[in-house]
Amino acid sequence: MGWEEKQVRGYPEFVRTAQSYHGRPIFALFCGDKDAEGRSWCPDCVTAEPIVRKELHNLPDESVFIYCLVGDRAYWKDPNNEFRRNLKLTGVPTLLKYGTPQKLVEEECFKAELVRMLFTED
Amino acid sequence: SVQAHKEEDNPQKTMEVNGLTPVLDSYDYDLIVIGGGSGGLAAAKEAAKYEKKVMVLDFVTPTPQGSSWGLGGTCVNVGCIPKKLMHQAALLGQALQDSRKFGWQFTEEVQHNWMTMTEPVQNYIGSLNWGYRVALRDSKVTYENAYGVFVGPHTIKATNKKGVEKLYTAERFIIATGERPRYLGIPGDKEYCISSDDLFSLPYCPGKTLVVGASYVALECAGFLAGLGLDVTVMVRSILLRGFDQDMANKIGEYMKDHGVNFIREFVPIKVEQVEEGTPGILKVTAKSTTGDQVIEGEYNTVLLAIGRDPCTRKIGLDKVGVNINEKTGKIPVNDEEQTNVPYIYAVGDILQDKLELTPVAIQAGRLLVRRLYAGATTKCDYVNVPTTVFTPLEYGACGYSEETAVEKFGEENIEVYHSNFWPLEWTVPSRDNNKCYAKIICNIQDNERVIGFHVLGPNAGEVTQGFAAAIKCGLTKEQLDNTVGIHPVCAEV
């Protein structure tokens, strides 16, 4: 049964979705909100997204890829937002393997090699 | 001295590599590093900077209890890092007690939860393991989680945890396989005892613990376990901290005894039996005196063995490539350029004979070695005046000669020892010991009273010692020290 993608927005929806897939490998990409034309306020997210998407076919079977929009720029800049506080995110884009210390932050997400390593190796 | 390695004629032609016969002058890699610890990773990353094709092989054979860990070696996973964090946990416990005297009011007694501490410690270690993998991949260093064994000249066999074997060749090798805790060789040791390899990821509180050994590992672990509120006993065969200044070692022991650690001196365990299963269970330890016939017994939840560490050099095929090791200790003798008796095989880190077993030493040696190999550098690793710190409840920092070694080398009449007790200001208000902290310097009278040994026992000893190590490297004399105005009020001003 390959892998599947879920798109969510905001912290509560992310947590609910992650919990509903408990027991399966969960990978998540956190990006800034997109405007009506589909462009994110976060330029690094714009760069990273296609690179990450190109590696999705490497995801292990049964895994879930959660694409999560975190909020607008003002929300993200608040040092107390729930993503920073609870998930310890320090920047967007962040690509992580949920429930492990394995993550790639900002420019690390631009490197296909590293994305592939995150998806395929233990 | 380096002996020339005599290669048999055309060794490569007699070997198969994945069905193909390898050509001598085209190796798979410029450098293969065996061991992904402090020394190995530093060397690998440095070599990648010079655009060399590098592979790192790292594999952790699980402990008898089944513990294992990720890339990074002893320091990161089961050494310095978790040790210092748990030492900090114990110090915070002490600070909580002191805080009442400084006006903080809380009525409940404070308890410690082992799992609450170990979870973030292990998560941090996990992030370091991941960080190393990212760093290696980013530097284009190939990393394989596989056990490397030499099978012939320039050739290594790597076996992963699924048993899949691959052969690789390299122009040069660096052995950085490190060490693992030694067991006693008595009934019940492997079945029931744990070591430092298990302690930092133990999934339950160790409870009443017997620590066997008097190494810094034993005393540091005993120290923080007691600091967390556990009932701790240390069983010592003879002296504390062999190799360290004995005057300081005894002061450390006294402090620990005054602060609730029990010591059983001049006994060795001869048998460990299980009384009750559990996490933790109950173990019965039988021990015999080293000075007579007396036999004693005791019951503990956990028995932690910390009697020494042995190099991982016996099962890596060194005989196949002719690398000499010290048969008794397993250590590898090298020249001052970290080269073994086989010219294309080098070694760094804890496995080296007669060198200090410290992370920064391994890192420095690994980096400088690689710079000499690939960047035309000539600097050799300086093993003299390396500072260290023992993170016992009362920390001990040292750099240079112990008093005994100085007397032995220079003669008692040629050295002068200046010493002082001191009372940290922060300890006054909570009425903590006023005569336990101590500092001494050992000076060489014949050489302008050059400071050749620095020892300090007190809080933040590591932070204090680092600066003095630099001064000693510059040739600090007693007069220069006297002319340096102190910072007040800090312990270091003494």
Side-chain angles (χ1 to χ4, degrees):
Chain A
M1 179 221 165
W3 58 275
E4 59 181 285
E5 173 166 349
K6 278 282 179 250
Q7 302 207 347
V8 302
R9 195 181 168 280
Y11 184 76
E13 202 188 341
F14 171 76
V15 172
R16 259 195 328 267
T17 310
Q19 281 171 352
S20 72
Y21 286 105
H22 181 71
R24 289 165 63 175
I26 299 171
F27 297 86
L29 177 64
F30 298 91
C31 292
D33 276 4
K34 291 177 167 173
D35 61 19
E37 274 94 56
R39 279 201 81 89
S40 175
W41 54 260
C42 160
D44 285 349
C45 303
V46 173
T47 312
E49 193 180 332
I51 298 172
V52 170
R53 288 197 170 281
K54 220 162 147 225
E55 298 298 324
L56 288 177
H57 67 275
N58 288 311
L59 284 171
D61 284 345
E62 302 284 317
S63 54
V64 182
F65 173 69
I66 303 179
Y67 178 76
C68 177
L69 295 178
V70 299
D72 61 27
R73 185 188 241 120
Y75 168 81
W76 181 251
K77 290 298 181 201
D78 172 15
N80 263 329
N81 75 52
E82 296 133 307
F83 289 102
R84 289 189 195 269
R85 235 190 19 241
N86 303 339
L87 280 178
K88 307 285 185 276
L89 296 197
T90 54
V92 279
T94 290
L95 178 66
L96 54 76
K97 186 169 179 177
Y98 191 66
T100 77
Q102 300 187 352
K103 64 179 178 179
L104 298 173
V105 179
E106 292 160 4
E107 311 85 56
E108 290 176 339
C109 301
F110 300 169
K111 299 179 184 179
E113 275 277 328
L114 297 182
V115 175
R116 204 173 311 138
M117 181 168 85
L118 181 73
F119 287 165
T120 61
E121 295 179 23
D122 267 330
Chain B
S1 63
V2 174
Q3 293 158 308
H5 174 65
K6 287 167 83 146
E7 287 200 24
E8 295 155 293
D9 288 338
N10 304 321
Q12 303 293 59
K13 298 231 167 82
T14 62
M15 285 194 51
E16 299 282 302
V17 177
N18 297 333
L20 300 166
T21 322
V23 177
L24 256 178
D25 52 14
S26 108
Y27 300 106
D28 298 328
Y29 290 90
D30 294 311
L31 177 67
I32 292 182
V33 179
I34 311 166
S38 304
L41 290 181
K45 283 192 264 185
E46 189 72 21
K49 277 197 215 164
Y50 305 113
E51 322 232 304
K52 295 298 159 188
K53 196 163 173 224
V54 187
M55 161 178 267
V56 170
L57 295 175
D58 186 71
F59 192 85
V60 179
T61 307
T63 72
Q65 297 301 326
S67 308
S68 185
W69 50 88
L71 181 63
T74 295
C75 175
V76 162
N77 292 286
V78 288
C80 333
I81 302 289
K83 175 268 294 284
K84 185 94 187 303
L85 290 171
M86 294 197 178
H87 170 67
Q88 174 67 358
L91 289 178
L92 287 170
Q94 175 73 65
L96 280 167
Q97 298 309 319
D98 291 352
S99 72
R100 290 185 207 264
K101 296 276 175 57
F102 279 96
W104 290 99
Q105 299 177 319
F106 42 100
T107 49
E108 321 95 58
E109 275 316 301
V110 173
Q111 311 273 22
H112 184 263
N113 182 307
W114 177 265
M115 296 309 303
T116 308
M117 172 182 69
T118 39
E119 200 188 312
V121 169
Q122 288 300 318
N123 282 342
Y124 177 62
I125 292 171
S127 72
L128 292 178
N129 299 142
W130 174 250
Y132 286 126
R133 289 173 59 197
V134 169
L136 288 186
R137 187 61 69 94
D138 225 12
S139 322
K140 309 268 183 287
V141 171
T142 308
Y143 156 59
E144 283 221 4
N145 183 211
Y147 190 92
V149 175
F150 284 101
V151 291
H154 291 274
T155 311
I156 198 151
K157 177 179 76 173
T159 308
N160 71 11
K161 60 181 176 218
K162 297 191 180 136
V164 176
E165 295 176 355
K166 291 193 206 165
L167 289 177
Y168 298 107
T169 60
E171 189 186 358
R172 292 184 173 110
F173 292 82
I174 297 180
I175 306 171
T177 50
E179 300 182 305
R180 297 295 292 271
R182 189 179 302 151
Y183 279 78
L184 282 165
I186 60 169
D189 67 351
K190 292 201 172 148
E191 298 93 294
Y192 306 121
C193 300
I194 64 167
S195 72
S196 57
D197 281 357
D198 307 292
L199 180 64
F200 303 108
S201 56
L202 207 61
Y204 52 84
C205 181
K208 179 179 174 192
T209 303
L210 175 70
V211 178
V212 182
S215 54
Y216 74 81
V217 175
L219 297 186
E220 286 176 345
C221 291
F224 74 70
L225 289 173
L228 298 177
L230 303 179
D231 177 342
V232 177
T233 303
V234 180
M235 186 175 285
V236 177
R237 186 185 60 186
S238 64
I239 62 172
L240 299 179
L241 295 175
R242 185 178 301 278
F244 286 84
D245 184 295
Q246 283 300 291
D247 171 34
M248 306 304 285
N250 290 327
K251 289 184 196 294
I252 291 171
E254 285 304 308
Y255 183 89
M256 286 175 70
K257 214 161 71 169
D258 289 346
H259 289 260
V261 177
N262 308 303
F263 280 85
I264 299 179
R265 308 285 305 240
E266 300 188 325
F267 271 85
V268 289
I270 53 174
K271 190 167 57 166
V272 178
E273 295 162 288
Q274 186 178 61
V275 169
E276 207 178 282
E277 256 188 77
T279 53
I282 303 182
L283 300 173
K284 183 167 96 171
V285 178
T286 309
K288 186 170 182 305
S289 165
T290 59
T291 57
D293 289 325
Q294 199 194 352
V295 170
I296 56 171
E297 286 179 353
E299 285 193 356
Y300 305 91
N301 294 124
T302 297
V303 177
L304 171 67
L305 300 181
I307 56 170
R309 295 174 63 79
D310 291 321
C312 300
T313 50
R314 311 255 190 204
K315 296 187 190 168
I316 57 173
L318 292 183
D319 53 316
K320 292 282 191 312
V321 281
V323 171
N324 289 340
I325 65 169
N326 178 319
E327 279 305 325
K328 180 162 167 267
T329 61
K331 296 239 176 177
I332 301 184
V334 292
N335 62 16
D336 62 0
E337 298 188 334
E338 288 82 30
Q339 192 180 32
T340 68
N341 60 305
V342 177
Y344 67 90
I345 301 181
Y346 300 80
V348 294
D350 288 359
I351 55 174
L352 296 191
Q353 181 160 286
D354 299 327
K355 301 282 197 287
L356 290 157
E357 294 177 26
L358 295 166
T359 283
V361 171
I363 293 175
Q364 179 84 319
R367 281 201 193 129
L368 293 179
L369 166 63
V370 165
R371 282 184 210 160
R372 290 193 308 269
L373 290 178
Y374 301 121
T378 52
T379 316
K380 300 182 198 179
C381 188
D382 185 357
Y383 293 96
V384 169
N385 290 331
V386 172
T388 75
T389 297
V390 181
F391 294 95
T392 33
L394 192 56
E395 295 177 9
Y396 166 42
C399 182
Y401 288 95
S402 66
E403 200 170 326
E404 308 84 73
T405 318
V407 164
E408 201 188 302
K409 176 141 190 198
F410 298 95
E412 198 173 336
E413 63 285 2
N414 292 319
I415 64 162
E416 190 73 58
V417 179
Y418 297 91
H419 66 152
S420 174
N421 278 101
F422 61 92
W423 196 23
L425 181 63
E426 293 81 0
W427 288 22
T428 56
V429 165
S431 306
R432 286 175 64 188
D433 306 282
N434 65 356
N435 64 347
K436 289 289 161 37
C437 296
Y438 179 76
K440 75 177 175 187
I441 55 166
I442 302 164
C443 301
N444 182 352
I445 301 177
Q446 297 179 314
D447 181 21
N448 280 98
E449 277 209 307
R450 186 101 31 213
V451 177
I452 58 170
F454 169 89
H455 303 263
V456 66
L457 189 63
N460 304 306
E463 308 291 0
V464 172
T465 305
Q466 184 70 85
F468 284 95
I472 290 174
K473 190 139 267 219
C474 296
L476 181 73
T477 62
K478 175 70 166 54
E479 193 184 344
Q480 286 170 323
L481 193 56
D482 288 343
N483 288 338
T484 308
V485 179
I487 302 172
H488 182 78
V490 294
C491 297
E493 66 180 306
V494 74

